[in-house]
Amino acid sequence: MAGYKEPGFEARRAAAASARDKALAKLKAQAPLDPAVLAERLAAAEAREKMQAEKRALLSAKKAQELAEKAERAAKIAPALTDAERKAVRDAKYAARKARKK
């Protein structure tokens, strides 16, 4: 009994072409889709997309509302800092960082 022989390039190319032709023949042999079924699928896809778009819009509106509420709460807790106050806070952080490095 002979051992396994690795197929050459031409044999692999012929096998690939044969498989491709067989797949194309199988695809062509399928019955065409019924227009009613196709229309039903398209309608279902459009309905699904519309529902998802509404859900995304609802979620983004909810997120925007939460952000607005959070900003409102933050404004109530601490008034906005002036430029001089922000500079003083920044300078204090810088000085604390420099002190830690020493």
Side-chain angles (χ1 to χ4, degrees):
M1 176 180 220
Y4 175 75
K5 182 179 178 188
E6 188 73 30
F9 176 73
E10 290 298 323
R12 292 193 313 265
R13 196 176 86 179
S18 168
R20 184 174 45 250
D21 291 340
K22 188 185 288 186
L24 283 173
K26 184 177 179 183
L27 184 65
K28 288 179 183 179
Q30 288 181 348
L33 286 177
D34 186 25
V37 173
L38 189 59
E40 184 179 324
R41 286 182 186 176
L42 288 174
E46 287 175 4
R48 186 172 51 250
E49 179 61 33
K50 184 178 178 183
M51 185 175 60
Q52 288 173 350
E54 290 173 356
K55 185 176 179 181
R56 281 191 302 266
L58 183 64
L59 286 175
S60 65
K62 183 178 178 182
K63 189 172 185 179
Q65 183 181 3
E66 288 175 357
L67 286 174
E69 289 173 358
K70 184 177 179 182
E72 185 178 319
R73 279 182 275 152
K76 286 181 181 178
I77 292 174
L81 298 176
T82 63
D83 288 338
E85 292 170 333
R86 279 196 298 254
K87 186 176 184 301
V89 169
R90 185 191 67 213
D91 291 344
K93 286 181 182 177
Y94 179 74
R97 190 169 55 240
K98 286 295 244 183
R100 279 194 309 263
K101 287 185 179 180
K102 288 183 179 184

Coordinates of all heavy atoms in Angstrom, one line a residue:
M1 N 0.8 -1.2 0.0 CA 0.0 0.0 0.0 C 0.9 1.2 0.0 O 1.8 1.4 0.8 CB -0.9 0.0 1.2 CG -1.7 1.2 1.4 SD -2.7 1.0 2.9 CE -4.2 1.7 2.3
A2 N 0.6 2.1 -0.9 CA 1.4 3.4 -1.0 C 1.0 4.3 0.1 O -0.1 4.4 0.6 CB 1.1 4.0 -2.4
G3 N 1.9 5.1 0.5 CA 1.7 6.2 1.5 C 0.9 7.3 1.0 O 0.6 7.4 -0.2
Y4 N 0.6 8.3 1.8 CA -0.2 9.4 1.4 C 0.7 10.3 0.6 O 1.9 10.6 0.9 CB -0.6 10.2 2.7 CG -1.3 11.5 2.4 CD1 -2.6 11.5 1.9 CD2 -0.7 12.7 2.5 CE1 -3.3 12.7 1.6 CE2 -1.3 13.9 2.2 CZ -2.6 13.9 1.7 OH -3.2 15.1 1.4
K5 N 0.1 10.8 -0.5 CA 0.8 11.7 -1.5 C 0.2 13.0 -1.4 O -1.0 13.1 -1.6 CB 0.8 11.1 -2.9 CG 1.6 12.0 -3.8 CD 1.6 11.4 -5.2 CE 2.4 12.3 -6.2 NZ 2.2 11.9 -7.5
E6 N 0.9 14.1 -1.1 CA 0.4 15.4 -1.1 C -0.1 15.8 -2.4 O 0.7 15.7 -3.4 CB 1.5 16.3 -0.6 CG 1.1 17.8 -0.3 CD 0.3 17.8 1.0 OE1 0.5 17.0 1.9 OE2 -0.6 18.7 1.1
P7 N -1.3 16.3 -2.6 CA -1.8 16.8 -3.9 C -1.0 18.0 -4.4 O -0.7 18.9 -3.6 CB -3.2 17.1 -3.7 CG -3.4 17.2 -2.3 CD -2.3 16.5 -1.6
G8 N -0.7 18.0 -5.6 CA 0.1 19.2 -6.2 C -0.8 20.4 -6.4 O -2.0 20.4 -6.1
F9 N -0.2 21.4 -6.9 CA -0.9 22.7 -7.1 C -2.1 22.5 -8.0 O -3.2 23.0 -7.8 CB 0.1 23.8 -7.5 CG -0.6 25.1 -7.9 CD1 -1.1 25.9 -6.8 CD2 -0.8 25.5 -9.2 CE1 -1.7 27.1 -7.1 CE2 -1.4 26.7 -9.4 CZ -1.9 27.5 -8.4
E10 N -1.8 21.9 -9.1 CA -2.9 21.7 -10.2 C -4.0 20.9 -9.6 O -5.2 21.2 -9.9 CB -2.3 21.1 -11.4 CG -1.3 22.0 -12.2 CD -2.0 23.2 -12.7 OE1 -3.2 23.1 -13.1 OE2 -1.4 24.3 -12.7
A11 N -3.8 19.9 -8.8 CA -4.8 19.1 -8.3 C -5.7 19.9 -7.3 O -6.9 19.8 -7.3 CB -4.2 17.8 -7.6
R12 N -5.0 20.7 -6.5 CA -5.8 21.5 -5.5 C -6.6 22.6 -6.3 O -7.7 22.9 -5.9 CB -4.8 22.2 -4.6 CG -4.1 21.3 -3.6 CD -3.4 22.0 -2.5 NE -2.6 23.1 -2.9 CZ -1.3 23.1 -3.1 NH1 -0.6 22.0 -3.0 NH2 -0.7 24.2 -3.5
R13 N -6.0 23.2 -7.3 CA -6.7 24.2 -8.1 C -8.0 23.5 -8.8 O -9.0 24.1 -8.8 CB -5.8 24.8 -9.1 CG -6.4 26.1 -9.7 CD -5.4 26.7 -10.6 NE -5.7 26.1 -11.9 CZ -5.0 26.4 -13.0 NH1 -4.0 27.3 -13.0 NH2 -5.3 25.8 -14.2
A14 N -7.8 22.3 -9.3 CA -8.9 21.7 -10.0 C -10.0 21.3 -9.0 O -11.2 21.4 -9.3 CB -8.4 20.4 -10.7
A15 N -9.6 20.9 -7.8 CA -10.6 20.5 -6.7 C -11.3 21.8 -6.3 O -12.6 21.8 -6.1 CB -9.9 19.9 -5.6
A16 N -10.6 22.9 -6.2 CA -11.3 24.2 -5.8 C -12.3 24.6 -6.9 O -13.4 25.1 -6.6 CB -10.3 25.3 -5.5
A17 N -11.9 24.5 -8.1 CA -12.8 24.9 -9.2 C -14.0 24.0 -9.3 O -15.1 24.5 -9.5 CB -12.0 24.8 -10.6
S18 N -13.8 22.7 -9.0 CA -14.9 21.8 -9.0 C -15.9 22.1 -7.9 O -17.1 22.1 -8.1 CB -14.4 20.4 -8.9 OG -15.4 19.5 -8.6
A19 N -15.3 22.4 -6.7 CA -16.2 22.7 -5.6 C -17.0 24.0 -5.8 O -18.1 24.1 -5.5 CB -15.3 22.8 -4.3
R20 N -16.3 25.0 -6.5 CA -17.0 26.3 -6.8 C -18.1 26.0 -7.8 O -19.2 26.6 -7.6 CB -15.9 27.2 -7.3 CG -16.5 28.6 -7.6 CD -15.4 29.6 -8.0 NE -14.5 29.2 -8.9 CZ -13.2 28.9 -8.7 NH1 -12.7 29.1 -7.5 NH2 -12.4 28.5 -9.7
D21 N -17.8 25.2 -8.8 CA -18.9 25.0 -9.8 C -20.0 24.2 -9.2 O -21.2 24.5 -9.5 CB -18.3 24.2 -11.0 CG -17.3 25.0 -11.8 OD1 -17.4 26.2 -11.7 OD2 -16.5 24.4 -12.5
K22 N -19.8 23.3 -8.3 CA -20.8 22.5 -7.6 C -21.7 23.5 -6.8 O -22.9 23.4 -6.7 CB -20.2 21.4 -6.8 CG -21.2 20.5 -6.2 CD -20.6 19.4 -5.3 CE -19.8 18.4 -6.0 NZ -19.3 17.3 -5.1
A23 N -21.0 24.4 -6.0 CA -21.7 25.3 -5.2 C -22.6 26.2 -6.0 O -23.8 26.5 -5.6 CB -20.8 26.1 -4.3
L24 N -22.1 26.7 -7.1 CA -22.9 27.6 -8.0 C -24.1 26.9 -8.6 O -25.2 27.4 -8.7 CB -22.0 28.2 -9.1 CG -21.0 29.3 -8.7 CD1 -20.1 29.7 -9.8 CD2 -21.8 30.5 -8.3
A25 N -23.9 25.6 -9.0 CA -25.0 24.9 -9.5 C -26.1 24.6 -8.5 O -27.3 24.7 -8.8 CB -24.4 23.5 -10.0
K26 N -25.6 24.4 -7.2 CA -26.6 24.2 -6.2 C -27.4 25.5 -5.9 O -28.6 25.5 -5.7 CB -25.9 23.7 -4.9 CG -26.8 23.4 -3.7 CD -25.9 22.9 -2.6 CE -26.8 22.6 -1.4 NZ -26.1 22.2 -0.2
L27 N -26.7 26.6 -5.9 CA -27.3 27.9 -5.7 C -28.3 28.2 -6.8 O -29.4 28.7 -6.6 CB -26.3 29.0 -5.6 CG -26.8 30.4 -5.3 CD1 -27.3 30.4 -3.9 CD2 -25.6 31.4 -5.4
K28 N -27.9 27.9 -8.1 CA -28.8 28.2 -9.2 C -30.0 27.3 -9.2 O -31.1 27.7 -9.8 CB -28.1 28.1 -10.5 CG -27.1 29.2 -10.8 CD -26.3 29.0 -12.1 CE -25.3 30.1 -12.2 NZ -24.6 30.0 -13.5
A29 N -29.9 26.1 -8.6 CA -31.0 25.2 -8.6 C -32.1 25.5 -7.6 O -33.2 25.0 -7.7 CB -30.5 23.8 -8.3
Q30 N -31.8 26.5 -6.7 CA -32.8 26.8 -5.7 C -33.9 27.6 -6.4 O -33.7 28.3 -7.4 CB -32.2 27.8 -4.6 CG -31.3 27.1 -3.7 CD -30.7 28.0 -2.7 OE1 -30.8 29.2 -2.8 NE2 -30.1 27.5 -1.6
A31 N -35.1 27.4 -5.8 CA -36.3 28.1 -6.4 C -36.2 29.6 -6.0 O -35.7 29.9 -4.9 CB -37.6 27.5 -5.8
P32 N -36.6 30.5 -6.9 CA -36.6 31.9 -6.6 C -37.5 32.2 -5.5 O -38.5 31.6 -5.3 CB -37.0 32.6 -7.9 CG -37.7 31.5 -8.7 CD -37.1 30.2 -8.2
L33 N -37.2 33.3 -4.7 CA -38.0 33.7 -3.6 C -39.3 34.3 -4.2 O -39.4 35.0 -5.1 CB -37.3 34.7 -2.8 CG -36.2 34.3 -1.9 CD1 -35.6 35.4 -1.2 CD2 -36.7 33.3 -0.9
D34 N -40.4 33.9 -3.4 CA -41.7 34.5 -3.8 C -41.7 36.0 -3.4 O -41.3 36.3 -2.3 CB -42.8 33.7 -2.9 CG -44.2 34.1 -3.3 OD1 -44.4 34.5 -4.5 OD2 -45.1 34.0 -2.5
P35 N -42.2 36.8 -4.3 CA -42.2 38.2 -4.0 C -43.0 38.6 -2.8 O -42.6 39.5 -2.1 CB -42.9 38.9 -5.3 CG -42.7 37.9 -6.4 CD -42.7 36.5 -5.7
A36 N -44.0 37.8 -2.5 CA -44.8 38.1 -1.2 C -44.0 37.8 0.0 O -44.0 38.6 1.0 CB -46.1 37.3 -1.2
V37 N -43.2 36.7 0.0 CA -42.4 36.4 1.1 C -41.3 37.4 1.2 O -40.9 37.9 2.3 CB -41.8 35.0 0.9 CG1 -40.7 34.7 2.0 CG2 -42.9 33.9 0.9
L38 N -40.7 37.8 0.1 CA -39.6 38.8 0.1 C -40.2 40.2 0.7 O -39.5 40.8 1.5 CB -39.1 39.0 -1.3 CG -37.9 39.9 -1.4 CD1 -36.7 39.3 -0.6 CD2 -37.5 40.0 -2.9
A39 N -41.4 40.6 0.3 CA -42.0 41.8 0.8 C -42.2 41.7 2.3 O -42.0 42.7 3.0 CB -43.3 42.1 0.0
E40 N -42.7 40.5 2.7 CA -42.9 40.3 4.1 C -41.6 40.4 4.9 O -41.6 41.1 6.0 CB -43.5 38.9 4.3 CG -43.9 38.6 5.8 CD -44.6 37.2 5.9 OE1 -45.3 36.8 5.0 OE2 -44.3 36.6 6.9
R41 N -40.6 39.9 4.4 CA -39.3 39.9 5.1 C -38.8 41.4 5.2 O -38.3 41.8 6.2 CB -38.2 39.1 4.4 CG -38.4 37.6 4.6 CD -37.3 36.9 3.9 NE -37.5 35.4 3.9 CZ -36.7 34.6 3.3 NH1 -35.7 35.0 2.6 NH2 -37.0 33.3 3.4
L42 N -38.9 42.1 4.1 CA -38.5 43.5 4.1 C -39.3 44.3 5.1 O -38.8 45.2 5.8 CB -38.6 44.1 2.7 CG -37.6 43.6 1.7 CD1 -37.9 44.2 0.3 CD2 -36.2 44.1 2.1
A43 N -40.6 44.1 5.1 CA -41.5 44.8 6.1 C -41.1 44.5 7.5 O -41.1 45.4 8.4 CB -43.0 44.4 5.8
A44 N -40.8 43.2 7.8 CA -40.4 42.9 9.1 C -39.1 43.5 9.5 O -38.9 44.0 10.6 CB -40.3 41.4 9.2
A45 N -38.1 43.6 8.5 CA -36.9 44.2 8.8 C -37.0 45.7 9.0 O -36.4 46.3 9.9 CB -35.9 44.0 7.6
E46 N -37.9 46.4 8.3 CA -38.2 47.8 8.5 C -38.8 48.1 9.8 O -38.5 49.0 10.5 CB -39.0 48.3 7.3 CG -38.3 48.5 6.0 CD -39.3 48.9 4.9 OE1 -40.4 49.2 5.2 OE2 -38.8 49.0 3.8
A47 N -39.7 47.2 10.2 CA -40.4 47.4 11.5 C -39.4 47.2 12.6 O -39.4 48.0 13.6 CB -41.5 46.4 11.6
R48 N -38.5 46.2 12.5 CA -37.5 46.0 13.5 C -36.6 47.2 13.6 O -36.2 47.6 14.7 CB -36.8 44.7 13.2 CG -35.8 44.2 14.2 CD -35.2 42.9 13.9 NE -34.6 42.7 12.6 CZ -35.2 42.0 11.6 NH1 -36.3 41.3 11.9 NH2 -34.7 41.9 10.4
E49 N -36.1 47.7 12.5 CA -35.2 48.9 12.5 C -35.9 50.1 13.1 O -35.3 50.8 13.8 CB -34.8 49.2 11.0 CG -33.9 50.4 10.9 CD -32.6 50.2 11.7 OE1 -32.1 49.1 11.8 OE2 -32.1 51.2 12.2
K50 N -37.2 50.3 12.8 CA -37.9 51.4 13.3 C -38.0 51.3 14.9 O -37.8 52.2 15.6 CB -39.3 51.5 12.7 CG -40.2 52.6 13.2 CD -41.5 52.7 12.5 CE -42.4 53.8 13.0 NZ -43.7 53.8 12.4
M51 N -38.3 50.1 15.3 CA -38.4 49.8 16.8 C -37.1 50.1 17.5 O -37.0 50.7 18.5 CB -38.9 48.4 17.0 CG -39.1 48.1 18.5 SD -39.8 46.4 18.8 CE -38.5 45.4 18.1
Q52 N -36.0 49.6 16.8 CA -34.7 49.8 17.4 C -34.3 51.3 17.4 O -33.7 51.8 18.4 CB -33.6 49.1 16.6 CG -33.7 47.6 16.8 CD -32.8 46.8 15.9 OE1 -32.2 47.3 15.0 NE2 -32.6 45.5 16.2
A53 N -34.7 52.1 16.4 CA -34.4 53.5 16.3 C -35.2 54.2 17.4 O -34.6 55.1 18.1 CB -34.8 54.1 14.9
E54 N -36.4 53.8 17.6 CA -37.2 54.4 18.7 C -36.6 54.1 20.1 O -36.5 55.0 20.9 CB -38.7 53.9 18.7 CG -39.5 54.4 17.5 CD -40.8 53.8 17.4 OE1 -41.1 52.8 18.2 OE2 -41.6 54.2 16.5
K55 N -36.1 52.9 20.2 CA -35.5 52.5 21.5 C -34.2 53.3 21.7 O -34.0 53.8 22.8 CB -35.2 51.0 21.5 CG -34.6 50.5 22.8 CD -34.4 49.0 22.7 CE -33.8 48.4 23.9 NZ -33.6 47.0 23.9
R56 N -33.4 53.5 20.6 CA -32.2 54.3 20.8 C -32.5 55.8 21.1 O -31.9 56.4 21.9 CB -31.4 54.3 19.5 CG -30.6 53.0 19.3 CD -29.6 53.1 18.1 NE -30.2 53.4 16.9 CZ -30.6 52.5 16.0 NH1 -30.4 51.3 16.2 NH2 -31.2 52.9 14.8
A57 N -33.6 56.3 20.5 CA -33.9 57.7 20.7 C -34.4 57.8 22.2 O -34.1 58.8 22.8 CB -35.0 58.1 19.8
L58 N -35.2 56.9 22.6 CA -35.7 56.9 24.0 C -34.5 56.8 25.0 O -34.5 57.6 26.0 CB -36.6 55.7 24.3 CG -37.3 55.7 25.6 CD1 -38.2 56.9 25.8 CD2 -38.1 54.4 25.8
L59 N -33.5 56.0 24.7 CA -32.4 55.9 25.6 C -31.5 57.1 25.6 O -31.1 57.6 26.7 CB -31.5 54.7 25.2 CG -32.1 53.3 25.6 CD1 -31.2 52.2 25.0 CD2 -32.2 53.1 27.1
S60 N -31.4 57.7 24.4 CA -30.6 59.0 24.4 C -31.3 60.1 25.1 O -30.7 60.9 25.8 CB -30.2 59.3 22.9 OG -31.4 59.6 22.2
A61 N -32.6 60.2 25.0 CA -33.4 61.2 25.7 C -33.3 61.0 27.2 O -33.1 62.0 27.9 CB -34.8 61.2 25.2
K62 N -33.4 59.7 27.6 CA -33.3 59.4 29.0 C -31.9 59.8 29.6 O -31.7 60.4 30.6 CB -33.5 57.9 29.3 CG -33.5 57.5 30.7 CD -33.8 56.0 30.8 CE -33.7 55.6 32.3 NZ -34.0 54.2 32.4
K63 N -30.8 59.5 28.8 CA -29.5 59.8 29.2 C -29.3 61.4 29.3 O -28.7 61.9 30.2 CB -28.5 59.2 28.2 CG -27.1 59.3 28.6 CD -26.2 58.5 27.7 CE -24.7 58.5 28.2 NZ -23.9 57.8 27.3
A64 N -29.8 62.1 28.3 CA -29.7 63.5 28.3 C -30.5 64.1 29.5 O -30.0 65.1 30.1 CB -30.3 64.1 27.0
Q65 N -31.6 63.6 29.8 CA -32.4 64.0 31.0 C -31.6 63.8 32.3 O -31.5 64.6 33.1 CB -33.7 63.3 31.1 CG -34.6 63.8 32.2 CD -35.9 63.1 32.3 OE1 -36.2 62.2 31.5 NE2 -36.8 63.5 33.2
E66 N -31.0 62.6 32.4 CA -30.2 62.3 33.6 C -29.0 63.3 33.7 O -28.6 63.7 34.8 CB -29.7 60.8 33.5 CG -30.8 59.8 33.7 CD -30.3 58.4 33.5 OE1 -29.1 58.2 33.2 OE2 -31.1 57.5 33.8
L67 N -28.3 63.6 32.5 CA -27.2 64.5 32.6 C -27.7 65.9 33.0 O -27.0 66.6 33.8 CB -26.5 64.5 31.2 CG -25.7 63.3 30.8 CD1 -25.2 63.5 29.4 CD2 -24.5 63.2 31.8
A68 N -28.8 66.3 32.5 CA -29.3 67.6 32.9 C -29.7 67.7 34.4 O -29.4 68.6 35.0 CB -30.6 67.9 32.1
E69 N -30.3 66.6 34.9 CA -30.6 66.5 36.3 C -29.3 66.5 37.1 O -29.2 67.2 38.2 CB -31.4 65.3 36.6 CG -32.8 65.3 36.1 CD -33.6 64.0 36.3 OE1 -33.0 63.0 36.8 OE2 -34.7 64.0 35.9
K70 N -28.3 65.8 36.7 CA -27.0 65.8 37.4 C -26.4 67.2 37.4 O -25.9 67.6 38.5 CB -26.1 64.8 36.7 CG -24.8 64.6 37.5 CD -24.0 63.5 36.8 CE -22.6 63.3 37.5 NZ -21.8 62.3 36.8
A71 N -26.4 67.9 36.3 CA -25.8 69.2 36.2 C -26.6 70.2 37.1 O -26.0 71.0 37.8 CB -25.9 69.7 34.8
E72 N -27.9 70.0 37.1 CA -28.8 70.8 38.0 C -28.4 70.6 39.5 O -28.3 71.6 40.2 CB -30.2 70.5 37.7 CG -31.2 71.5 38.4 CD -32.7 71.1 38.1 OE1 -32.9 70.8 36.9 OE2 -33.5 71.1 39.0
R73 N -28.3 69.4 39.9 CA -27.9 69.0 41.2 C -26.6 69.6 41.6 O -26.4 70.1 42.7 CB -28.0 67.5 41.5 CG -29.4 67.0 41.7 CD -29.3 65.5 42.0 NE -29.3 64.9 40.7 CZ -28.8 63.7 40.4 NH1 -28.3 63.0 41.3 NH2 -28.8 63.3 39.2
A74 N -25.6 69.5 40.7 CA -24.3 70.0 40.9 C -24.3 71.5 41.0 O -23.6 72.1 41.9 CB -23.4 69.6 39.8
A75 N -25.2 72.2 40.2 CA -25.3 73.6 40.3 C -25.9 74.1 41.7 O -25.5 75.1 42.2 CB -26.1 74.2 39.2
K76 N -26.8 73.3 42.2 CA -27.4 73.6 43.5 C -26.4 73.4 44.6 O -26.4 74.2 45.6 CB -28.6 72.7 43.7 CG -29.8 73.1 42.9 CD -31.0 72.2 43.2 CE -32.2 72.6 42.4 NZ -33.4 71.7 42.7
I77 N -25.6 72.4 44.5 CA -24.6 72.1 45.6 C -23.5 73.1 45.7 O -23.3 73.7 46.8 CB -24.0 70.7 45.4 CG1 -25.1 69.6 45.6 CG2 -22.9 70.5 46.4 CD1 -24.6 68.2 45.2
A78 N -22.9 73.4 44.6 CA -21.8 74.4 44.6 C -22.0 75.4 43.5 O -22.2 75.0 42.4 CB -20.5 73.7 44.5
P79 N -21.9 76.7 43.8 CA -22.0 77.7 42.8 C -20.8 77.6 41.9 O -19.7 77.1 42.3 CB -22.1 79.0 43.5 CG -21.5 78.7 44.8 CD -21.7 77.3 45.1
A80 N -20.9 78.1 40.7 CA -19.8 78.1 39.7 C -18.6 78.9 40.3 O -18.8 80.0 40.8 CB -20.2 78.6 38.4
L81 N -17.4 78.5 40.1 CA -16.2 79.2 40.5 C -15.8 80.2 39.6 O -16.0 80.1 38.3 CB -15.1 78.2 40.7 CG -15.3 77.1 41.7 CD1 -14.1 76.1 41.7 CD2 -15.5 77.6 43.1
T82 N -15.3 81.3 40.1 CA -14.8 82.4 39.2 C -13.4 81.9 38.7 O -12.8 80.9 39.1 CB -14.7 83.7 40.0 OG1 -13.7 83.5 41.0 CG2 -16.0 84.1 40.5
D83 N -12.9 82.7 37.7 CA -11.6 82.4 37.2 C -10.5 82.4 38.3 O -9.6 81.5 38.3 CB -11.2 83.3 36.0 CG -12.1 83.1 34.8 OD1 -12.6 82.0 34.7 OD2 -12.2 84.0 34.0
A84 N -10.6 83.4 39.1 CA -9.6 83.5 40.2 C -9.6 82.3 41.1 O -8.6 81.8 41.6 CB -9.8 84.8 40.9
E85 N -10.9 81.9 41.4 CA -11.0 80.7 42.3 C -10.5 79.4 41.7 O -9.8 78.6 42.3 CB -12.5 80.6 42.8 CG -13.0 81.7 43.7 CD -14.5 81.6 43.8 OE1 -15.2 81.1 42.9 OE2 -14.9 82.1 44.9
R86 N -10.8 79.3 40.4 CA -10.3 78.1 39.7 C -8.8 78.1 39.6 O -8.1 77.1 39.8 CB -10.9 78.0 38.3 CG -12.2 77.5 38.2 CD -12.6 77.1 36.8 NE -12.6 78.3 35.9 CZ -13.6 78.9 35.4 NH1 -14.8 78.4 35.7 NH2 -13.5 80.0 34.6
K87 N -8.2 79.3 39.4 CA -6.7 79.4 39.4 C -6.1 79.0 40.8 O -5.1 78.3 40.9 CB -6.3 80.8 39.0 CG -4.8 80.9 38.8 CD -4.5 82.3 38.3 CE -3.0 82.5 38.0 NZ -2.1 82.3 39.1
A88 N -6.8 79.5 41.8 CA -6.3 79.2 43.2 C -6.4 77.7 43.5 O -5.4 77.1 44.0 CB -7.1 80.0 44.2
V89 N -7.4 77.0 43.1 CA -7.6 75.6 43.3 C -6.5 74.9 42.5 O -5.8 73.9 43.0 CB -9.0 75.1 42.8 CG1 -9.1 73.6 42.8 CG2 -10.0 75.7 43.8
R90 N -6.3 75.3 41.2 CA -5.3 74.6 40.4 C -3.9 74.8 41.0 O -3.1 73.9 41.0 CB -5.3 75.2 39.0 CG -4.4 74.5 38.0 CD -4.2 75.3 36.7 NE -3.5 76.6 37.0 CZ -3.7 77.7 36.4 NH1 -4.6 77.8 35.4 NH2 -3.0 78.8 36.6
D91 N -3.6 76.0 41.5 CA -2.3 76.3 42.1 C -2.1 75.4 43.3 O -1.0 75.0 43.6 CB -2.1 77.8 42.4 CG -2.0 78.6 41.1 OD1 -1.7 78.0 40.0 OD2 -2.2 79.8 41.2
A92 N -3.1 75.3 44.1 CA -3.0 74.5 45.3 C -2.8 73.0 45.0 O -1.9 72.4 45.6 CB -4.3 74.6 46.1
K93 N -3.4 72.5 43.9 CA -3.1 71.1 43.5 C -1.7 71.0 43.0 O -1.0 70.0 43.4 CB -4.1 70.7 42.4 CG -5.5 70.5 42.8 CD -6.3 70.1 41.6 CE -7.8 69.8 41.9 NZ -8.6 69.5 40.8
Y94 N -1.2 72.0 42.3 CA 0.2 71.9 41.8 C 1.1 71.9 42.9 O 2.1 71.2 43.0 CB 0.4 73.1 40.9 CG 1.8 73.2 40.3 CD1 2.2 72.3 39.3 CD2 2.7 74.1 40.8 CE1 3.5 72.3 38.8 CE2 4.0 74.2 40.2 CZ 4.4 73.3 39.3 OH 5.6 73.3 38.8
A95 N 0.9 72.8 43.9 CA 1.8 72.9 45.1 C 1.8 71.6 45.9 O 2.8 71.1 46.3 CB 1.4 74.0 46.0
A96 N 0.6 71.0 46.0 CA 0.5 69.7 46.7 C 1.3 68.6 46.0 O 2.0 67.8 46.6 CB -0.9 69.3 46.9
R97 N 1.2 68.6 44.7 CA 1.9 67.6 43.9 C 3.4 67.8 44.0 O 4.2 66.8 44.1 CB 1.4 67.7 42.4 CG 1.9 66.5 41.6 CD 1.2 66.5 40.2 NE 1.3 67.7 39.5 CZ 0.3 68.4 39.1 NH1 -0.9 68.1 39.3 NH2 0.5 69.6 38.4
K98 N 3.9 69.0 44.0 CA 5.3 69.3 44.1 C 5.8 68.9 45.5 O 6.9 68.4 45.6 CB 5.5 70.8 43.9 CG 5.4 71.3 42.5 CD 6.5 70.6 41.7 CE 7.4 71.7 41.1 NZ 8.5 71.2 40.3
A99 N 5.0 69.1 46.5 CA 5.4 68.8 47.9 C 5.5 67.3 48.0 O 6.3 66.8 48.7 CB 4.4 69.3 48.9
R100 N 4.6 66.5 47.4 CA 4.7 65.0 47.4 C 5.9 64.5 46.8 O 6.5 63.5 47.2 CB 3.5 64.4 46.8 CG 2.2 64.4 47.6 CD 1.1 63.5 47.0 NE 0.9 63.7 45.6 CZ -0.1 64.5 45.2 NH1 -0.9 65.1 46.0 NH2 -0.3 64.7 43.9
K101 N 6.4 65.2 45.7 CA 7.6 64.7 45.0 C 8.9 64.8 45.8 O 9.8 64.1 45.6 CB 7.7 65.4 43.7 CG 6.7 65.0 42.6 CD 6.9 65.7 41.3 CE 5.9 65.2 40.3 NZ 6.1 65.8 39.0
K102 N 8.9 65.8 46.7 CA 10.1 66.0 47.5 C 10.3 65.0 48.6 O 9.6 64.2 49.0 CB 10.0 67.4 48.2 CG 10.2 68.5 47.1 CD 10.2 69.8 47.8 CE 10.4 70.9 46.8 NZ 10.5 72.2 47.3

